[in-house]
Amino acid sequence: MDVSSDGRVFRYGYADGTAFVIDAVEHRVWGWTPPGQTIEDTAVYLIGPVLGFLARVRGVLCLHASAVVLGDMAIAFVGPAGQGKSTLAAAFATAGVPVLTDDIAALTPTHDGHAVEPGSSQVRLWPESTPVTADDRELPRIAPDWDKRYVDLTRGPYSFAERAVSLDTVYLLEDAGQSPPFIRGLSEADAILSLVGNTYANYMLTPRQRAEELFAIGSLVDRVQIRTLGVPAGLDALPSVIEAVRGASLQPASVA
């Protein structure tokens, strides 16, 4: 992906020829679909990085995270691409837990904390992760020429949370290898440093926006529990991860 900006207008260019122009002041977006591509191909970029960045320039703190609803509180799973956020969200959905958002968690301040806004009603998965779902048939592709698939949270046994939900805990995902799932607390400094590296589309922020983001992250850490969640390798371990999160969702965690 190629990104350029003059401070007001941001330009996204992708290797397949798809391009977007974002006016950060007027909050307008223009997109181009090149020959050989479909509107569905363009929508993959629009619904993900483009709208995610537009939320950022509007001053909305967005974590690179998926989020589910346990009880009446939201739980967010944060991590870089490939860390397993979507796979874990799909496993929770299969277990009957409502999903709020996949990949982008937009946070809004409330009088006593933060709320997670609902995102797309899909969880997107690579083929190797689709066995975690309750679908017997092959999941549909997110676009005709993409290998990635999606779970439609509005159908079948799944549940999509359509309203903002107060955020209780942010879990930073960590590879546990062959060890059992673990949950650890973080010091305030470690929590801030970890979250700074896992905000959405942060590579396009101006220095002023970065400073505002750091302030917002500090407020988040002051008001929300931040923990590390160790996820063992393999899809078979996910039920034990879900149980660990269920058991710890409203309990204090010790700082490692």
Side-chain angles (χ1 to χ4, degrees):
M1 180 177 64
D2 179 50
V3 179
S4 62
S5 171
D6 63 5
R8 166 176 175 157
V9 176
F10 294 79
R11 300 168 181 85
Y12 275 73
Y14 291 90
D16 61 10
T18 304
F20 295 91
V21 172
I22 303 170
D23 186 325
V25 175
E26 298 293 335
H27 298 161
R28 296 183 179 181
V29 178
W30 295 266
W32 285 265
T33 301
Q37 298 293 314
T38 66
I39 292 297
E40 290 85 358
D41 292 319
T42 306
V44 171
Y45 300 121
L46 177 64
I47 295 172
V50 174
L51 291 185
F53 176 70
L54 186 58
R56 300 304 311 276
V57 299
R58 286 181 170 180
V60 178
L61 177 62
C62 297
L63 299 179
H64 202 179
S66 297
V68 302
V69 182
L70 287 178
D72 58 356
M73 302 294 286
I75 307 295
F77 304 105
V78 172
Q83 193 69 46
K85 302 181 298 298
S86 297
T87 303
L88 188 55
F92 270 98
T94 301
V97 176
V99 175
L100 259 171
T101 187
D102 176 38
D103 196 49
I104 307 173
L107 307 183
T108 52
T110 64
H111 70 281
D112 60 352
H114 289 74
V116 183
E117 299 292 334
S120 169
S121 59
Q122 297 179 356
V123 175
R124 298 178 176 186
L125 300 170
W126 293 110
E128 57 267 25
S129 294
T130 59
V132 304
T133 70
D135 291 273
D136 294 327
R137 71 193 194 299
E138 186 175 59
L139 292 174
R141 297 173 183 264
I142 61 174
D145 296 327
W146 290 64
D147 198 27
K148 210 167 191 179
R149 313 304 172 106
Y150 72 89
V151 177
D152 185 347
L153 297 169
T154 66
R155 296 179 178 273
Y158 309 113
S159 179
F160 175 57
E162 298 181 352
R163 294 181 176 85
V165 179
S166 295
L167 178 61
D168 179 72
T169 306
V170 174
Y171 286 106
L172 294 154
L173 300 187
E174 183 176 313
D175 184 3
Q178 301 304 313
S179 301
F182 63 81
I183 293 174
R184 300 193 185 110
L186 288 169
S187 68
E188 182 175 311
D190 287 341
I192 290 174
L193 288 173
S194 296
L195 290 176
V196 164
N198 284 288
T199 54
Y200 198 82
N202 52 31
Y203 52 88
M204 290 187 68
L205 298 183
T206 64
R208 178 183 62 80
Q209 290 168 335
R210 263 302 202 178
E212 292 171 349
E213 175 187 81
L214 186 60
F215 179 82
I217 289 173
S219 175
L220 176 67
V221 170
D222 282 342
R223 305 170 83 181
V224 172
Q225 298 182 93
I226 313 294
R227 298 169 170 173
T228 297
L229 172 61
V231 180
L235 301 181
D236 292 344
L238 292 179
S240 64
V241 176
I242 292 173
E243 288 308 307
V245 172
R246 284 184 188 272
S249 61
L250 297 177
Q251 298 176 11
S254 58
V255 176

